[in-house]
């Protein structure tokens, strides 16, 4: 039951995270990357901190140096580098292609989990990840064969791939921290952890945002841009991170890697709906494989080393 709960939380987390591609595309024309990130984080903290100030301060007082180091790394890779690389790459490539390229995260996460966490890889989990990776290849292949591979376009794709790698590092760091929290008497609550990570990421973004000198542009943007910034802060950051932190309590890193395939699938579907970008039968087949990988994991029991485990 807890594993199904973890699946639901992770599916929701990655689906919401997938909206960052379309949301970012709608903001990049009006604001620079650091301004978008720090404003979204600021709106989130402004809305949530007054209600959770006491719990947050209580948590801060009992955190130790390793906890702060883990939170800083999550802020660095999960918010700061991920969003900066994604928002930098978006203007240089298509929305759909950027969403698809974030699908490199499952394979990267699985590799990092095996190498650093030494988590056993079951046959069913491996098949789920294989379906995800195959789906990503099918989704991407149409663009690789038809897009004009100019330098600017390739550079944009590399930025997005870098964002996917940062997402993978964030997944593994979060899973490793959850291992420690499972034995802790007072583990950090997901919402409090999200707020602390957001504060750290905001501090990383502050100086670059001031250097960009684009914060003054906030006064000239319209209600649609402000709505997108609120979505960025409250949904893409707060809600998706809370769901993610709650989900990784019950799922291993390989399951997390496979379910992260929902991020590029969501991004692609939203690009079709809101930006009118076409999908081919090959891309639909790739999306179906990603869904199949989720179904393969739906009835999987909590991982333990069994006869079909291999490393």
């Amino acid at each position: 039951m807890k594993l199904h709960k973890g699946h639901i939380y992770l599916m929701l987390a990655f689906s919401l995270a997938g909206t960052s591609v379309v949301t970012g595309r709608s903001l990049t024309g009006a604001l620079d990357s650091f301004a978008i990130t720090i404003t979204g984080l600021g709106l989130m903290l402004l809305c949530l901190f007054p209600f959770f100030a006491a719990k947050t301060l209580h948590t801060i007082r009992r955190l130790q140096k390793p906890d702060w180091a883990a939170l800083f790394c999550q802020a660095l890779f999960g918010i700061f580098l991920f969003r900066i690389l994604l928002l930098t790459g978006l203007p240089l490539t298509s929305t759909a292609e950027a969403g698809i390229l974030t699908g490199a995260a499952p394979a990267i996460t699985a590799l990092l989990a095996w190498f650093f966490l030494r988590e056993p890889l079951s046959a069913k989990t491996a098949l789920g990840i294989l379906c995800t990776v195959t789906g990503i290849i099918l989704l991407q292949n149409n663009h690789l064969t038809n897009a004009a591979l100019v330098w600017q376009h390739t550079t944009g794709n590399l930025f997005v791939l870098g964002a996917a790698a940062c997402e993978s590092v964030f997944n593994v760091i979060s899973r490793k921290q959850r291992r420690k929290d499972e034995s802790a008497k007072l583990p950090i609550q997901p919402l409090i952890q999200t707020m602390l990570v957001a504060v750290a990421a905001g501090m990383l973004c502050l100086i670059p945002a001031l250097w960009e000198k684009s914060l003054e542009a906030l006064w000239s943007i319209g209600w649609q841009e402000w709505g997108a910034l609120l979505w960025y802060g409250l949904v893409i950051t707060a809600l998706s991170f809370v769901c993610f932190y709650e989900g990784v309590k019950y799922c291993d890193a390989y399951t997390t890697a496979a379910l992260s395939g929902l991020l590029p699938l969501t991004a692609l579907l939203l690009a079709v709906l809101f930006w009118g970008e076409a999908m081919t039968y090959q891309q639909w087949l790739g999306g179906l494989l990603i869904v199949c990988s989720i179904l393969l994991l739906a009835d999987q029991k909590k991982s333990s080393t069994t006869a079909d485990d291999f490393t």
Side-chain angles (χ1 to χ4, degrees), residues 7 13 23 40 59 82 89 97-98 154 164 233 235 266:
H7 288 158
T23 306
T59 300
F82 173 78
E97 191 164 357
T154 303
V235 178
T266 302

Side-chain angles (χ1 to χ4, degrees), residues 49 63 162 213 248:
F49 185 76
L63 289 178
K213 297 181 180 180
V248 295

Side-chain angles (χ1 to χ4, degrees), residues 8-310:
I8 293 172
Y9 274 118
L10 288 178
M11 290 169 67
L12 182 59
F14 288 117
S15 296
L16 292 174
T19 66
S20 62
V21 176
V22 173
T23 306
R25 170 70 78 177
S26 66
L27 289 169
T28 51
L31 297 169
D32 291 329
S33 302
F34 291 104
I36 294 171
T37 302
I38 197 171
T39 304
L41 295 174
L43 289 172
M44 183 204 79
L45 294 171
L46 184 64
C47 293
L48 297 181
F49 185 76
F51 300 99
F52 300 95
K55 289 184 177 180
T56 303
L57 294 175
H58 174 70
T59 300
I60 290 174
R61 284 195 293 268
R62 64 182 178 79
L63 289 178
Q64 299 178 351
K65 288 183 179 180
D67 300 315
W68 285 113
L71 291 172
F72 175 80
C73 289
Q74 290 175 52
L76 178 64
F77 290 100
I79 296 182
F80 181 75
L81 290 177
F82 173 78
R83 294 191 180 179
I84 299 309
L85 291 172
L86 179 64
L87 293 171
T88 302
L90 277 173
L92 306 177
T93 186
S94 70
T95 308
E97 191 164 357
I100 292 165
L101 287 170
T102 58
I108 300 173
T109 302
L111 180 62
L112 292 175
W114 173 79
F115 188 78
F116 290 104
L117 302 183
R118 299 300 180 187
E119 294 195 359
L121 179 61
S122 69
K124 182 177 285 188
T125 303
L127 182 59
I129 295 174
L130 179 62
C131 286
T132 299
V133 174
T134 305
I136 298 304
I137 292 173
L138 287 173
L139 286 169
Q140 174 65 15
N141 188 56
N142 182 71
H143 292 284
L144 290 177
T145 56
N146 294 314
L149 295 178
V150 296
W151 172 246
Q152 177 176 300
H153 185 84
T154 303
T155 301
N157 286 349
L158 290 175
F159 276 119
V160 176
L161 283 172
C166 290
E167 175 72 16
S168 299
V169 174
F170 168 76
N171 291 342
V172 173
I173 292 173
S174 300
R175 173 59 185 166
K176 186 174 183 179
Q177 185 188 23
R178 276 300 160 192
R179 279 182 172 180
K180 296 179 180 179
D181 283 351
E182 286 171 1
S183 58
K185 293 181 179 179
L186 292 171
I188 305 175
Q189 296 181 5
L191 183 57
I192 304 302
Q193 184 172 357
T194 299
M195 294 176 63
L196 293 176
V197 169
V199 171
M203 294 174 63
L204 289 170
C205 292
L206 181 58
I207 294 178
L210 294 174
W211 181 77
E212 279 181 341
K213 297 181 180 180
S214 64
L215 289 175
E216 55 267 23
L218 291 170
W219 306 111
S220 61
I221 62 176
W223 65 268
Q224 290 182 331
E225 286 78 13
W226 278 109
L229 287 170
L230 279 171
W231 182 270
Y232 227 117
L234 295 178
V235 178
I236 296 175
T237 300
L239 184 55
S240 69
F241 271 55
V242 167
C243 290
F244 175 81
Y245 287 133
E246 190 67 28
V248 295
K249 290 181 182 179
Y250 312 110
C251 300
D252 59 28
Y254 295 119
T255 302
T256 303
L259 292 178
S260 66
L262 278 174
L263 195 158
L265 180 60
T266 302
L268 179 63
L269 291 175
L270 291 177
V272 172
L273 290 174
F274 291 99
W275 292 93
E277 298 188 13
M279 282 183 66
T280 66
Y281 74 91
Q282 181 173 291
Q283 292 173 301
W284 285 114
L285 179 59
L288 180 61
L289 281 174
I290 293 174
V291 174
C292 287
S293 73
I294 297 169
L295 296 176
L296 279 170
L297 294 163
D299 62 343
Q300 184 172 316
K301 297 180 180 179
K302 185 68 177 178
S303 65
S304 59
T305 305
T306 60
D308 66 340
D309 285 345
F310 58 96

